[in-house]
């Protein structure tokens, strides 16, 4: 039986999760292959971008291939930390690791990505993931059907990738250039998570039946665990909200400088000198 007060060494003990491991290895191999293609064509990917992508992969391995996956059953706060790393820390690092203009989707990806990266689609998916699985009725239903443990981590990662992709625009060839939309949708996308975090923080009772009276790690009470989870979710959402505010302010400045209150699309000022298939 796992200890109720695990140390850092206990939490980071290797615990393979083969589907996650094979998927992460495939992503790493795809990234290295694209670096090699760029090198052969005379292009170079900045070292800082490679470092950020490598850090994203390392964090993904940390939260999927360690004993964290076992101990989260006894701590809502630890589980939320894992989900926030997947949704709010790994996606921006991975997306910043993709040099803009170097990857051009081809084939089926060229048709699917513009739809997936549409701000409305990203917002709908992210809001659904955050709200449904954090409403007590939805959470209880996922426990009864045994879907929360297997579905939530990949859904949080996918939702985070799409949301951050709207904000960071890593694939300009298939993403709209509209600066204002990026800021507006970034703010809208942060509202579901901030709302859930506020409910957890200020609720006077434990909201989820499975945690009522449960023995939590480190001798914390279920209510303390719930409130800590609220703080974790709220703090994790602040960087994305700050980025959206900056983008929104930049969009408003552009409107003021243009002397018009209407929003217009502008063609890209420059085309990438080389591209590689996104496959």
């Amino acid at each position: 039986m796992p200890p109720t007060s695990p140390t850092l060494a206990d939490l980071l003990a290797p615990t393979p999760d083969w589907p996650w491991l094979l998927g992460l290895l495939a992503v790493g191999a795809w990234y290295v292959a694209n670096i090699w293609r760029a090198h052969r064509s005379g292009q170079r990917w900045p070292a800082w971008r490679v470092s950020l992508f490598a850090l994203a992969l390392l964090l993904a391995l940390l939260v999927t291939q360690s004993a964290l996956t076992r101990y989260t059953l006894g701590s809502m706060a630890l589980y939320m930390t894992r989900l926030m790393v997947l949704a709010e820390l790994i996606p921006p690092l991975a997306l910043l690791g993709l040099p803009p203009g170097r990857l051009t989707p081809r084939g089926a990806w060229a048709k699917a990505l513009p739809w997936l990266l549409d701000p409305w689609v990203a917002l709908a998916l992210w809001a659904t993931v955050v709200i449904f699985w954090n409403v007590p009725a939805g959470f209880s239903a996922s426990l009864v059907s045994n879907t929360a443990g297997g579905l939530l981590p990949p859904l949080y990662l996918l939702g985070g990738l799409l949301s951050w992709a709207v904000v960071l625009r890593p694939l300009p060839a298939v993403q709209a250039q509209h600066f204002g939309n990026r800021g507006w949708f970034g703010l809208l996308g942060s509202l579901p998570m901030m709302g859930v975090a506020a409910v957890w923080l200020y609720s006077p009772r434990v909201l989820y039946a499975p945690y009522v009276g449960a023995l939590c790690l480190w001798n914390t009470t279920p209510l303390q665990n719930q409130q800590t989870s609220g703080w974790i979710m709220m703090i994790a959402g602040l960087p994305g909200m700050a980025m959206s505010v900056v983008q929104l302010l930049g969009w408003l400045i552009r409107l003021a400088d243009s002397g018009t209150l209407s929003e217009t699309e502008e063609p890209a000022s420059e085309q990438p000198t080389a591209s590689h298939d996104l496959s």
Side-chain angles (χ1 to χ4, degrees):
M1 181 178 178
T4 57
S5 297
T7 63
L8 184 61
D10 293 328
L11 296 175
L12 299 183
T15 306
D17 186 330
W18 291 106
W20 274 101
L21 181 59
L22 293 176
L24 293 174
L25 290 176
V27 170
W30 168 82
Y31 191 77
V32 171
N34 277 280
I35 293 177
W36 176 246
R37 289 184 197 173
H39 179 73
R40 292 186 61 183
S41 64
Q43 302 294 319
R44 293 186 61 187
W45 287 22
W48 67 270
R49 290 191 182 274
V50 178
S51 299
L52 289 180
F53 198 90
L55 179 58
L57 283 180
L58 180 62
L59 287 173
L61 288 169
L62 187 67
V63 298
T64 62
Q65 305 301 311
S66 68
L68 278 170
T69 56
R70 283 191 298 129
Y71 285 103
T72 51
L73 297 176
S75 173
M76 181 181 175
L78 194 59
Y79 189 45
M80 187 51 56
T81 299
R82 182 174 177 242
L83 292 180
M84 289 298 100
V85 171
L86 288 169
E88 297 294 334
L89 189 55
I90 292 173
L93 292 174
L95 293 172
L96 288 172
L98 303 177
R102 297 286 181 84
L103 298 173
T104 302
R106 304 285 184 181
W109 280 110
K111 298 179 180 179
L113 282 177
W115 181 80
L116 285 173
L117 296 178
D118 181 89
W120 288 108
V121 174
L123 178 62
L125 176 62
W126 182 235
T128 300
V129 170
V130 172
I131 295 174
F132 175 79
W133 265 280
N134 290 296
V135 170
F139 182 79
S140 298
S142 65
L143 287 180
V144 171
S145 59
N146 198 27
T147 57
L151 281 180
L152 270 185
L155 282 177
Y156 265 80
L157 178 60
L158 175 61
L161 282 170
L162 293 181
S163 298
W164 276 100
V166 172
V167 175
L168 296 177
R169 196 168 171 262
L171 299 174
V174 298
Q175 289 183 272
Q177 190 174 343
H178 208 288
F179 201 63
N181 277 353
R182 293 161 68 188
W184 280 115
F185 278 98
L187 287 176
L188 290 174
S190 66
L191 292 180
M193 200 164 71
M194 291 299 182
V196 170
V199 170
W200 287 350
L201 274 174
Y202 298 110
S203 175
R205 60 185 179 84
V206 178
L207 298 174
Y208 306 103
Y211 286 101
V212 176
L215 179 63
C216 300
L217 297 180
W218 301 293
N219 297 320
T220 57
T221 67
L223 185 58
Q224 288 174 332
N225 233 306
Q226 182 174 279
Q227 291 170 341
T228 303
S229 298
W231 279 115
I232 291 169
M233 181 176 274
M234 185 166 289
I235 293 172
L238 289 178
M241 179 175 284
M243 175 73 73
S244 301
V245 169
V246 170
Q247 290 182 323
L248 187 57
L249 289 175
W251 171 68
L252 292 173
I253 291 172
R254 287 180 58 190
L255 283 183
D257 289 343
S258 68
T260 177
L261 295 179
S262 62
E263 303 171 3
T264 56
E265 293 287 346
E266 297 178 3
S269 58
E270 59 182 8
Q271 297 296 328
T273 56
S275 63
H276 303 281
D277 294 352
L278 183 61
S279 57

